[in-house]
Amino acid sequence: MRQVAGIARRLHHKLGDPRQANSFSSKRRAVRFAELTRRFPDLAAMRVLDLGGVPDFWRSAPVRPSFVTTMNLDKYEPPEPWLEHVVADACGLGSLDACRGDYDLVVSNSLIEHVGGYQRRRDFADVVRAAAPSHWVQTPDRYFPVEPHYVAPGFQFLPLRTRARLVSRWPLAHERVHTVEEAVEQILTIDLISTTELAHLFPASDIWHERLLGFSKSIVAVRTG
C-alpha cells in the first residue's frame, strides 16, 4: 500500500501540481496564458482584478500588468506596490468597495465552479461585469472526459454517493479525505459547468475552448471591451 501511495503522490506531482514548472497542469496553464495575452496584447499596461487569484500567480506570470488586485477568501501579504490582495467574497458587489477601482480587465481562473450553486454563479457574473469592461473567466469543461480535481475518468457523471466512496480510496484526489462523509463535503464544493451555462451567464462574451486531444478541456468567457 505504501508503494501504491508513493506512486500516486509522484503521479499527482507530475500531472496536477501547478507549482511545478514541468507538471501537466503548469503546461496547460501556459497555453491558456498565451491565449490571454493574444486576446489582450496590452496586458502589461492594464489594471487587472483577479477574482479567486493569488499573488504568486502574477509574480511568476510571463507578462506583468501595471497593477493587479487579487481577491479571495484567504489572506496573503503581497509586498509589491503594483500588487494588492483583498480578502473578500467574489460573488458580492460590495466586495468591490475594498478594491482600488477603475480596472481594465477581470481575470478569473477555475473559481466559478467553486462558488456554490447557480444563483451564486449569477452573482459572480454580475461582479465580473461591474468591475471592468473586459474579462477572462476560465473554468474546466464539465464534459471533458477526465474530471480535473480528481484526475478520474468520468468521475463527474457518477452518483454523489458513488463518487464519495471512490474519493475516500482514490489516490489522486487533490485533497485527502478519510471518510465517506468528508468526501461528500469535499465533492459538493465543486460544480463543473458546461459551455451552455457559461454562455448563458456571459451572453455578450466569446467562448474560447482550450482543447486537448480534440476534447474541450477548459472553457473561457472572453470579452475584450
Side-chain angles (χ1 to χ4, degrees), residues 14 23 27 31 36 73 103-104 116 125 130 142 162 177 185 187-188 199 202:
K14 185 174 182 179
S23 72
K27 290 176 181 177
V31 169
L36 172 67
L73 298 177
Y103 294 104
D104 303 301
R142 173 174 174 77
T162 303
V177 295
E185 182 74 18
I187 292 165
L188 289 176
F202 297 95

Side-chain angles (χ1 to χ4, degrees), residues 3 20 25 50 59 76 79 85 102 119 131 134 152 156 175 183 194 200 208:
Q3 186 177 9
Q20 302 302 318
S25 179
D50 185 344
R59 290 191 184 105
Y76 295 87
H85 182 72
D102 300 321
Q119 185 58 55
S134 299
Q156 65 270 41
E175 189 176 322
S194 66
H200 174 72
W208 176 69

Side-chain angles (χ1 to χ4, degrees), residues 6-134:
I7 292 171
R9 283 193 298 270
R10 290 193 294 272
L11 186 58
H12 185 272
H13 179 83
K14 185 174 182 179
L15 291 176
D17 191 346
R19 297 168 297 180
Q20 302 302 318
N22 293 323
S23 72
F24 176 79
S25 179
S26 291
K27 290 176 181 177
R28 300 315 302 177
R29 178 179 286 182
V31 169
R32 292 193 294 271
F33 203 94
E35 181 66 15
L36 172 67
T37 55
R38 188 186 74 81
R39 299 280 187 137
F40 300 98
D42 298 327
L43 182 62
M46 300 178 86
R47 292 173 57 85
V48 174
L49 173 61
D50 185 344
L51 298 177
V54 297
D56 281 348
F57 174 85
W58 292 102
R59 290 191 184 105
S60 61
V63 177
R64 176 179 293 181
S66 65
F67 184 79
V68 177
T69 299
T70 54
M71 178 191 292
N72 66 39
L73 298 177
D74 296 319
K75 185 177 180 180
Y76 295 87
E77 298 292 343
E80 292 86 354
W82 62 274
L83 179 63
E84 72 169 355
H85 182 72
V86 173
V87 178
D89 181 0
C91 297
L93 285 169
S95 296
L96 296 177
D97 295 338
C99 303
R100 304 183 207 178
D102 300 321
Y103 294 104
D104 303 301
L105 172 66
V106 172
V107 170
S108 183
N109 290 300
S110 298
L111 174 66
I112 193 171
E113 74 272 17
H114 293 287
V115 298
Y118 173 67
Q119 185 58 55
R120 291 270 294 169
R121 291 194 287 275
R122 286 189 61 181
D123 293 342
F124 172 82
D126 289 342
V127 172
V128 170
R129 284 188 288 267
S134 299

Side-chain angles (χ1 to χ4, degrees), residues 77-220:
E77 298 292 343
E80 292 86 354
W82 62 274
L83 179 63
E84 72 169 355
H85 182 72
V86 173
V87 178
D89 181 0
C91 297
L93 285 169
S95 296
L96 296 177
D97 295 338
C99 303
R100 304 183 207 178
D102 300 321
Y103 294 104
D104 303 301
L105 172 66
V106 172
V107 170
S108 183
N109 290 300
S110 298
L111 174 66
I112 193 171
E113 74 272 17
H114 293 287
V115 298
Y118 173 67
Q119 185 58 55
R120 291 270 294 169
R121 291 194 287 275
R122 286 189 61 181
D123 293 342
F124 172 82
D126 289 342
V127 172
V128 170
R129 284 188 288 267
S134 299
H135 56 249
W136 167 281
V137 178
Q138 177 269 339
T139 185
D141 192 324
R142 173 174 174 77
Y143 293 104
F144 186 68
V146 178
E147 203 286 338
H149 301 87
Y150 298 100
V151 198
F155 180 82
Q156 65 270 41
F157 307 118
L158 297 174
L160 176 59
R161 197 72 181 176
T162 303
R163 283 182 282 163
R165 288 173 177 152
L166 287 174
V167 165
S168 61
R169 298 171 174 82
W170 185 244
L172 297 182
H174 70 303
E175 189 176 322
R176 298 300 298 155
V177 295
H178 302 288
T179 68
V180 170
E181 290 310 311
E182 287 178 352
V184 169
E185 182 74 18
Q186 183 186 101
I187 292 165
L188 289 176
T189 67
I190 304 166
D191 192 6
L192 296 180
I193 67 175
S194 66
T195 299
T196 300
E197 182 177 341
L198 190 66
H200 174 72
L201 291 168
F202 297 95
S205 305
D206 177 40
I207 304 298
W208 176 69
H209 294 261
E210 175 209 357
R211 295 194 178 275
L212 180 66
L213 301 176
F215 294 98
S216 175
K217 182 181 181 296
S218 291
I219 48 178
V220 186

